[in-house]
């Protein structure tokens, strides 16, 4: 087995982080197992590796971040990804959450993860290549438009702050599908769970969060960083 997926050895620092996430209710058993197998350290630039098991976001490149493990765990738990599901992620970043979703979707499932910044698109692809996951595809583009050629999706997760629910993502959500997305302004957002049932959308706010902006046609306009 290639590195990036645990070969049965216990990493005490990762175990400590996972235990806290379980105790605090951010992770459930399946998410914990995914985090045990897919080590966050492998998805970080070398300078950030010493901080891999801290429950905090960490800088990647181009002003973007890998989210805090607690938030990643909660989003993944809310999604309830099962084997064989088709999943779309908007905002690949480091590729860590895509890898966790790929682990949960299993060999019969498929994860597409879209990234709009070329450097991060390459970074996520290279990080994924360190694992033996073969069901995760990183795609370059504007994820606010979804991925019509592969729709509908059983699960969609957006890992950047949206000013509103992007209509293409709602359209591309399958019946009985779940969408997890932070919605709000630039200072904080509400992590929102949207479920589709009999064509109707039901949504609820779960937690206040802070994410980098979702930029694109159905997101925020592009602005140069001050
Ligand atoms: N899920 C990531 C991980 O596991 O490392 C963290 C994602 S980071 C918080 C948010 C990412 O969303 C950034 O890499 C950013 O470039 C990307 N992003 C923002 N708007 C986007 C869009 N319209 N389409 C695709 N990616 C987008």
């Amino acid at each position: 087995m290639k590195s990036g997926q645990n070969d049965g050895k216990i990493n005490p620092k990762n175990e400590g982080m996972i235990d806290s996430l379980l105790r605090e209710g951010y992770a459930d058993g399946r998410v914990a197992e995914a985090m045990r197998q897919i080590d966050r350290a492998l998805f970080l630039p070398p300078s950030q590796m010493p901080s891999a098991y801290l429950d905090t976001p960490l800088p990647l490149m181009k002003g973007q971040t890998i989210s805090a493990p607690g938030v990643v765990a909660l989003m993944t738990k809310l999604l309830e990804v099962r084997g064989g599901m088709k999943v779309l992620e908007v905002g690949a970043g480091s590729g860590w959450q895509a890898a966790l979703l790929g682990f949960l979707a299993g060999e019969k499932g498929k994860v597409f993860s879209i990234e709009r910044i070329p450097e991060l698109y390459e970074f996520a692809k290279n990080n994924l290549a360190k694992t033996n996951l073969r069901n995760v595809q990183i795609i370059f583009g504007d994820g606010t438009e979804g991925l019509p050629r592969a729709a509908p999706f059983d699960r969609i997760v957006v890992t950047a702050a949206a000013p509103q629910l992007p209509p293409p993502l709602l359209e591309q959500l399958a019946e009985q599908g779940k969408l997890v997305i932070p919605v709000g302004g630039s200072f904080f957002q509400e992590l929102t769970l949207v479920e589709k049932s009999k064509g109707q959308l039901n949504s609820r706010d779960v937690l206040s969060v802070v994410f980098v902006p979702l930029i694109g046609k159905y997101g925020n306009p592009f602005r140069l960083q001050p």
Side-chain angles (χ1 to χ4, degrees), residues 12-28:
K13 287 187 181 164
N14 197 24
E15 278 304 314
M17 179 187 84
I18 292 167
D19 282 350
S20 305
L21 298 179
L22 282 166
R23 253 194 329 273
E24 291 157 9
Y26 290 109
D28 60 14

Side-chain angles (χ1 to χ4, degrees), residues 3-223:
S3 59
Q5 280 190 258
N6 194 324
D7 54 5
K9 291 196 195 105
I10 299 218
N11 172 344
K13 287 187 181 164
N14 197 24
E15 278 304 314
M17 179 187 84
I18 292 167
D19 282 350
S20 305
L21 298 179
L22 282 166
R23 253 194 329 273
E24 291 157 9
Y26 290 109
D28 60 14
R30 295 187 73 241
V31 174
E33 185 54 21
M35 288 189 158
R36 220 166 263 133
Q37 298 296 331
I38 312 287
D39 195 319
R40 188 182 190 226
L42 270 289
F43 292 80
L44 295 174
S47 62
Q48 297 300 328
M49 283 180 186
S51 306
Y53 311 110
L54 300 180
D55 190 11
T56 180
L58 296 170
L60 295 176
M61 53 197 71
K62 298 281 165 187
Q64 304 304 315
T65 53
I66 183 172
S67 304
V71 173
V72 173
L74 179 61
M75 292 173 98
T76 308
K77 182 173 120 172
L78 289 168
L79 284 168
E80 294 185 289
V81 173
R82 304 279 168 219
M85 283 187 172
K86 192 168 21 152
V87 183
L88 176 68
E89 180 187 34
V90 177
S94 68
W96 185 44
Q97 183 143 18
L100 295 169
L101 297 170
F103 177 83
L104 291 168
E107 283 175 6
K108 295 197 173 132
K110 177 84 189 170
V111 176
F112 300 89
S113 180
I114 309 180
E115 175 55 53
R116 65 172 284 277
I117 297 181
E119 288 84 347
L120 285 155
Y121 161 73
E122 292 296 336
F123 186 60
K125 268 202 312 184
N126 291 337
N127 289 337
L128 254 309
K130 296 175 203 165
T131 74
N132 62 4
L133 293 166
R134 294 291 168 263
N135 59 347
V136 181
Q137 189 179 346
I138 309 291
I139 291 162
F140 179 69
D142 175 5
T144 66
E145 300 192 60
L147 194 62
R149 68 171 164 83
F153 298 98
D154 302 303
R155 302 291 186 257
I156 301 178
V157 61
V158 179
T159 65
Q164 71 272 313
L165 297 172
L169 300 186
L170 298 176
E171 282 156 26
Q172 291 172 34
L173 189 62
E175 177 62 23
Q176 299 303 317
K178 293 180 196 282
L179 160 68
V180 173
I181 177 169
V183 183
S186 45
F187 293 110
F188 75 95
Q189 307 88 37
E190 291 300 328
L191 189 62
T192 305
L193 170 65
V194 182
E195 295 176 282
K196 194 183 262 192
S197 177
K198 297 184 185 138
Q200 299 290 310
L201 296 168
N202 299 301
S203 70
R204 71 177 170 93
D205 293 348
V206 178
L207 183 76
S208 292
V209 287
V210 181
F211 274 83
V212 294
L214 180 72
I215 293 169
K217 185 169 175 191
Y218 300 96
N220 296 283
F222 175 73
R223 270 190 306 269

